[in-house]
């Protein structure tokens, strides 16, 4: 079964074509700041990015005969984990319900639906007997399986929500479980995704019962995000008249974390600066890891210390220094395993394949 995978990011659109479990095409289409400057809202980039995807497929000689198109899920309403068939309600919520989270991942659902619809229209016009192409998302960042206790904050005006790397974390959890001859649902895990944002979740027998809001300001700071901030100082800054709302939101996600301190989110560059003796960069990276370890340790309390393993993943997990420093601080809690990289393309493809093969049932978005 041939599956098209679409994963839009802020400055790139990753695509892949899989035949069952085997990737036959992997592409990373980059977008310059100049190309994107003419678009106001993220969703205005939909036609531009779709055309680039179709052109990439044409140049690679990939015919439009997919069994499924699966996109990275966007910032829709909180939902349980799993694979979802894209429907009109999801499209409407993506276009109109995500105004507070204008993130490129929202395009994944829209473009996947559009390409599947295009293929099905061509199939009807040619009277083809091939099955219809289905359109999915899987484990978007708004997957919410929090326990009731985790939802409560110190203000009834602001209950806790989670925005986290659900797709990669759950894929890594399943891979780890297979590797030790068990099922994801059998295990208690703490998983930390180390990327532009850092998310940490406690997985209890197949459910992420606690996870941080890694986009809007909770948990450790990261290369691009501020993490938790002193609340009163933030309120005073909001009323200082020095910044607009849009500017301050950028100081939470985008122009925050190591980017705000060091002027770059490029971890290779930052680690090279440390190697060359930059003590300030060393201090900031160590502080980021200190707070990340503290957050991981806090999830041990959520699981009452009953932890089968701690899994580290994401782009920063390629760094021996980062992994060893975290392992030094959290290794006493449980065995620590490392799965570097994003793993999102494979995770999306395997989720779609599981539904097509009848091993998993697609959920209905309501």
């Amino acid at each position: 079964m041939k599956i098209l995978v679409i994963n839009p990011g802020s400055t790139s659109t990753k695509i892949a074509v899989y035949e069952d479990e085997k990737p036959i095409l992997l592409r990373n289409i980059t977008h310059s700041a100049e190309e994107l400057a003419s678009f106001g809202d993220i969703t205005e980039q939909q036609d531009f990015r779709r055309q680039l995807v179709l052109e990439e497929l044409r140049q690679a000689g990939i015919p439009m005969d997919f069994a499924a198109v699966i996109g990275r899920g966007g910032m829709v309403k909180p939902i349980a984990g799993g694979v979802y068939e894209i429907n009109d309600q999801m499209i409407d919520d993506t276009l109109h319900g995500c105004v507070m989270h204008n993130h490129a991942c929202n395009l994944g659902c829209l473009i996947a639906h559009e390409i599947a619809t295009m293929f099905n229209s061509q199939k009807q016009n040619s009277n083809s007997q091939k099955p219809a192409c289905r359109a999915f998302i899987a484990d978007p960042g708004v997957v919410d399986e929090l326990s009731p206790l985790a939802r409560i904050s110190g203000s009834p005006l602001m209950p806790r929500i989670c925005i986290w790397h659900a797709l990669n974390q759950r894929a890594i959890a399943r891979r780890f479980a297979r590797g030790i001859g068990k099922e994801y649902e059998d295990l208690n895990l703490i998983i930390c995704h180390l990327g532009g944002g850092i998310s940490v979740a406690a997985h209890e027998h197949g459910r992420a019962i606690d996870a941080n809001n890694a986009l809007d300001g909770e948990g450790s700071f990261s290369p691009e995000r501020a993490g938790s901030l002193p609340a009163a100082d933030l309120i005073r800054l909001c009323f200082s008249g020095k910044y607009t709302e849009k500017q301050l939101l950028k100081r939470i996600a985008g122009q925050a974390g190591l980017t705000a301190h060091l002027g770059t989110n490029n971890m290779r560059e930052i680690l090279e600066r440390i190697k060359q003796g930059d003590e300030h960069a060393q201090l900031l990276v160590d502080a980021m890891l200190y707070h990340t370890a503290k957050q991981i340790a806090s999830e041990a309390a959520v699981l009452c210390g009953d932890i089968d393993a701690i899994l580290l993943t994401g782009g920063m997990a390629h760094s021996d220094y980062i992994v060893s420093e975290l392992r030094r601080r959290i290794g006493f809690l449980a065995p620590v395993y490392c799965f570097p990289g994003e793993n999102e393309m494979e995770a999306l493809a395997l989720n779609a394949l599981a539904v097509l093969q009848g091993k998993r049932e697609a959920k209905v978005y309501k």
Side-chain angles (χ1 to χ4, degrees):
M1 296 183 185
K2 199 159 71 175
I3 300 163
L4 173 62
V5 181
I6 302 170
N7 184 359
S10 57
T11 59
S12 69
T13 303
K14 296 176 184 176
I15 66 169
V17 177
Y18 278 72
E19 285 185 351
D20 293 337
E21 296 94 348
K22 181 182 177 182
I24 61 172
L25 177 74
L26 295 169
R27 293 287 189 272
N28 185 16
I29 308 168
T30 58
H31 314 302
S32 68
E34 291 74 23
E35 284 180 311
L36 301 181
S38 60
F39 300 103
D41 189 87
I42 285 287
T43 54
E44 294 177 13
Q45 300 175 19
Q46 180 179 345
D47 290 345
F48 165 73
R49 297 208 194 201
R50 184 196 69 247
Q51 289 299 334
L52 290 175
V53 171
L54 294 175
E55 178 61 20
E56 202 71 38
L57 294 173
R58 186 191 67 79
Q59 290 185 9
I62 303 290
M64 293 281 288
D65 58 352
F66 302 109
V69 184
I70 186 165
R72 181 182 177 188
M75 300 297 171
V76 290
K77 67 184 68 171
I79 54 177
V83 183
Y84 286 79
E85 196 121 23
I86 299 171
N87 57 21
D88 290 342
Q89 183 63 58
M90 186 186 296
I91 296 292
D92 187 66
D93 284 355
T94 300
L95 289 171
H96 307 296
C98 310
V99 292
M100 293 302 291
H101 301 106
N102 192 24
H103 195 284
C105 64
N106 293 333
L107 294 168
C109 159
L110 301 176
I111 297 174
H113 178 262
E114 198 169 15
I115 290 178
T117 301
M118 183 186 307
F119 168 75
N120 289 330
S121 177
Q122 291 174 357
K123 181 179 68 68
Q124 287 179 344
N125 292 337
S126 64
N127 295 317
S128 170
Q129 298 304 307
K130 289 183 178 181
C133 177
R134 300 173 70 181
F136 303 115
I137 66 166
D139 290 329
V142 292
V143 165
D144 184 346
E145 300 167 339
L146 299 184
S147 73
L149 295 176
R151 299 181 193 281
I152 298 172
S153 79
S155 170
L157 299 175
M158 292 174 281
R160 286 189 70 239
I161 65 168
C162 55
I163 300 177
W164 57 298
H165 302 89
L167 177 65
N168 190 40
Q169 287 208 21
R170 291 167 75 97
I172 291 302
R174 291 191 179 98
R175 182 191 297 184
F176 172 75
R178 285 195 304 270
I180 61 172
K182 294 190 176 182
E183 297 294 327
Y184 168 46
E185 291 76 12
D186 297 332
L187 301 173
N188 283 351
L189 304 169
I190 298 174
I191 307 180
C192 175
H193 181 106
L194 298 157
I198 294 175
S199 66
V200 181
H203 298 247
E204 183 180 59
H205 301 304
R207 290 180 60 244
I209 61 171
D210 192 87
N212 64 307
N213 184 339
L215 177 63
D216 277 351
E218 189 181 39
S220 172
F221 69 88
S222 70
E224 297 177 0
R225 292 163 198 172
S228 300
L229 295 170
D233 288 343
L234 181 59
I235 291 170
R236 293 186 189 101
L237 197 61
C238 291
F239 287 90
S240 68
K242 296 178 180 178
Y243 304 97
T244 65
E245 178 185 4
K246 189 174 182 179
Q247 287 172 330
L248 283 174
L249 287 172
K250 283 286 188 183
R251 297 297 181 104
I252 298 295
Q255 298 171 2
L258 295 180
T259 300
H261 284 287
L262 297 173
T264 180
N265 64 355
N266 188 321
M267 283 306 301
R268 290 182 182 177
E269 177 187 330
I270 293 170
L271 291 171
E272 182 59 30
R273 285 164 61 172
I274 292 173
K275 192 175 178 181
Q276 297 300 322
D278 187 331
E279 294 183 359
H280 184 56
Q282 176 86 65
L283 175 67
L284 289 165
V285 169
D286 286 349
M288 179 182 73
L289 299 177
Y290 168 90
H291 289 289
T292 301
K294 189 166 63 172
Q295 188 181 354
I296 291 170
S298 72
E299 298 296 356
V302 171
L303 296 172
C304 299
D306 182 13
I307 311 159
D308 293 294
I310 298 170
L311 311 183
L312 304 178
T313 184
M316 285 195 287
H318 285 290
S319 165
D320 291 339
Y321 176 76
I322 286 172
V323 171
S324 63
E325 183 63 14
L326 285 174
R327 197 188 298 271
R328 182 176 72 85
R329 290 188 176 275
I330 61 174
F332 70 96
L333 294 168
V336 180
Y337 300 87
C338 188
F339 297 85
E342 301 291 338
N343 305 289
E344 290 177 338
M345 306 304 283
E346 180 185 48
L348 286 167
L350 293 181
N351 270 291
L353 183 64
V355 173
L356 295 174
Q357 293 179 335
K359 296 177 181 178
R360 200 172 302 160
E361 187 173 341
K363 297 182 177 181
V364 178
Y365 179 86
K366 298 178 181 179

